[in-house]
Amino acid sequence: MSGPLSVQLYTVREALAEDRDATLRRVAEAGYRAVEPFDPLNDPKGFRTVADDLGLSVSGTHAIALLQREPAEVFDAAATIGTDKVIVPAGIAQEEFTSRDGLGRAADLLNGLAEQAARHGVRLGYHNHWWELEPKVDGRHAIEALADLLAPEVFLEIDTYWAAVGGADVPALLGRLAGRVEALHVKDGPVVKGEPHTAVGAGAMPVPAILAAAPDARRVVELDECATDIFDALAQSHTYLTSLEGS
């Protein structure tokens, strides 16, 4: 694993909106030593101060704002919060992943952003949901066809749960994308759209096989919705994942 276990802060978005500093403290108290924000433009200097005080590094940041704002503003904010990895988490129309022409347009957009990112000392990544997996293009999952069109410097953050929901054999997918995947969103649950997630290790995902298929990728825990207390689920996920690393 590359770097300490991280948390995508969308997991605790409601608590974060109420009290950012207390929420980050609870994430740190659960044992995490890294976080992945989803809005680097929200008080980047203040965020960096609190994260540093708590010993939390920033493994990367999601930034849908890249498709809505001046990219330079986003890249500068990423540098301020302490990361050189900016990830596009959504915002490209789902229909673009149903044809080779659509994938070409998506790749052109991402490659252009990657060129701008490089001028700011930042690297660009792309994060999937299920709609990049469900469609097949040339007999492969759309995300695989997209990967062939991306510039070498663009990395993938594979959301393992949504890849499974989209119909992928996730360990096999990761094997085919080897060298392109630098981070994994690790989550668990019933692998059914619309159903809440569980703590990692308590659902139907083959987590050990997934991690073994991408041993060098950064692990980022994310639970979009959870039927149990979210901080308890994060703590249980940390315990489970660290036990696998030590086994």
Side-chain angles (χ1 to χ4, degrees):
M1 178 177 65
S2 177
L5 193 61
S6 185
V7 176
Q8 165 51 244
L9 292 177
Y10 184 78
T11 303
V12 291
R13 59 195 177 277
E14 294 177 0
L16 204 66
E18 292 180 3
D19 191 330
R20 178 195 65 191
D21 297 5
T23 300
L24 291 176
R25 187 175 302 110
R26 292 190 70 179
V27 168
E29 288 171 351
Y32 295 92
R33 293 294 173 264
V35 291
E36 184 183 73
F38 59 90
D39 182 8
L41 295 172
N42 185 6
D43 186 22
K45 290 182 179 179
F47 183 94
R48 176 69 177 271
T49 297
V50 176
D52 284 351
D53 287 347
L54 292 169
L56 292 170
S57 61
V58 178
S59 59
T61 183
H62 281 196
I64 195 171
L66 271 178
L67 306 181
Q68 304 164 340
R69 304 274 288 270
E70 171 56 46
E73 183 182 1
V74 178
F75 298 140
D76 289 345
T80 298
I81 64 173
T83 184
D84 64 351
K85 294 181 175 65
V86 177
I87 301 158
V88 176
I92 300 176
Q94 297 183 28
E95 293 77 15
E96 297 288 61
F97 297 94
T98 62
S99 70
R100 176 158 286 280
D101 285 346
L103 292 177
R105 289 188 292 270
D108 287 345
L109 173 62
L110 295 171
N111 291 341
L113 287 170
E115 289 181 5
Q116 295 180 64
R119 293 195 288 270
H120 291 263
V122 174
R123 300 184 61 234
L124 189 87
Y126 184 76
H127 167 277
N128 67 281
H129 292 81
W130 63 85
W131 56 80
E132 298 94 342
L133 278 298
E134 280 184 344
K136 295 290 184 70
V137 177
D138 298 334
R140 297 183 297 162
H141 294 292
I143 191 74
E144 297 181 77
L146 174 67
D148 287 347
L149 302 174
L150 293 175
E153 59 268 24
V154 181
F155 67 90
L156 295 177
E157 177 181 66
I158 293 297
D159 187 305
T160 60
Y161 190 83
W162 293 130
V165 169
D169 176 331
V170 181
L173 174 72
L174 293 172
R176 293 192 297 272
L177 292 173
R180 177 69 79 171
V181 179
E182 293 192 12
L184 303 176
H185 267 196
V186 183
K187 57 181 71 169
D188 213 339
V191 197
V192 177
K193 289 179 188 176
E195 293 295 322
H197 297 155
T198 68
V200 178
M205 291 290 288
V207 178
I210 288 169
L211 300 185
D216 298 325
R218 187 66 170 265
R219 283 83 160 102
V220 183
V221 174
E222 182 186 37
L223 306 174
D224 297 12
E225 304 286 348
C226 196
T228 61
D229 179 83
I230 195 64
F231 289 100
D232 287 346
L234 280 177
Q236 292 168 24
S237 299
H238 185 276
T239 298
Y240 174 74
L241 290 168
T242 52
S243 73
L244 290 181
E245 292 296 334
S247 64

